Amino acid sequence: MSRDAPTSPARRRGPTLTRAEVRELFARLRELDPEPTTELEYSSPFELLIAVILSAQATDVGVNKATRRLYPVANTPQAILDLGEDALRQYIATIGLFNAKAKNVIAACRILVERHGGEVPRDRTALEALPGVGRKTANVVLNTVFGEGAIAVDTHIFRVSNRTGLAPGKDVRAVEDRLMRVVPEDFLLGAHHWLILHGRYTCKARKPDCPACVIRDLCWYKAKTPGTIERGIVDA
């Protein structure tokens, strides 16, 4: 093992992490980023809700470009209803699936005004009843706005959870359920953001940057990129 290699806890026989390794994984991610948060830009619960709806099959960078134009004009449910669907489309036309998203945003705003006094509800069932809001979007809002220990499993979290052995699962719900069981409570609030950012910038889909990965010696991924420490073994 190289001198600068992190020291990993005792390993187990299968391709899943031990409790000690899970804690070590999150401790290292937290050390890199003590206060993680979403890269979506927002200044209110409603702004985050709309940004997350728009982010489906789109990048955070692309969504931020659109909302920087939209929010100075309309950033409340009633203001977007007053703006109207046709005008809304013009602001979000650079985002994929903008026609369907415009319909959903208008419909969601109408429900927020009519049923919730224009406020974003803190209830999962109420959130998921909004057009364009599924379990993942609801989890993002509950975690980021309301400080609940929810984990929204997107493609990045799904990939990292399966590659590393943190929380293997065949589908996003299976991964979410397992994460909720294995992530220590004191890491639960930040876990969603740490895993997304790790998947977005280090554990990338096509070519993970394993040499720069702080959890590489904990990870069970067999196809590590060269020059990495694979479960305590230097791969030159």
Side-chain angles (χ1 to χ4, degrees), residues 36-145:
T37 189
T38 179
E39 293 186 319
L40 291 170
E41 297 172 359
Y42 72 99
S43 60
S44 70
F46 176 72
E47 286 188 1
L48 178 64
L49 173 65
I50 298 305
V52 179
I53 292 174
L54 296 178
S55 71
Q57 299 183 46
T59 65
D60 287 0
V61 171
V63 171
N64 289 337
K65 287 180 179 179
T67 56
R68 285 173 198 158
R69 298 189 300 269
L70 173 63
Y71 289 159
V73 176
N75 68 341
T76 67
Q78 188 60 59
I80 287 183
L81 288 176
D82 293 342
L83 185 66
E85 186 176 324
D86 290 340
L88 176 60
R89 286 197 194 97
Q90 300 305 310
Y91 285 99
I92 66 172
T94 56
I95 300 175
L97 306 175
F98 69 93
N99 283 316
K101 290 176 182 178
K103 289 182 181 296
N104 285 336
V105 167
I106 291 293
C109 287
R110 185 169 292 112
I111 292 174
L112 289 175
V113 169
E114 294 176 352
R115 302 182 189 175
H116 303 288
E119 300 294 326
V120 175
R122 190 175 180 168
D123 177 75
R124 175 185 296 282
T125 300
L127 284 169
E128 292 187 20
L130 299 173
V133 177
R135 185 175 182 86
K136 182 174 73 173
T137 298
N139 279 347
V140 172
V141 173
L142 290 171
N143 175 275
T144 306
V145 172

Side-chain angles (χ1 to χ4, degrees), residues 12 14-18 21-22 25 159-168 178 182 218-221 231:
R12 69 167 55 168
T16 57
L17 303 186
T18 65
E21 287 173 330
V22 171
L25 179 151
R159 179 173 64 254
V160 171
S161 297
N162 276 285
R163 272 183 178 173
T164 61
L166 171 63
R178 188 157 187 169
V182 303
L218 301 173
C219 175
W220 282 100
Y221 186 49
R231 304 294 293 186

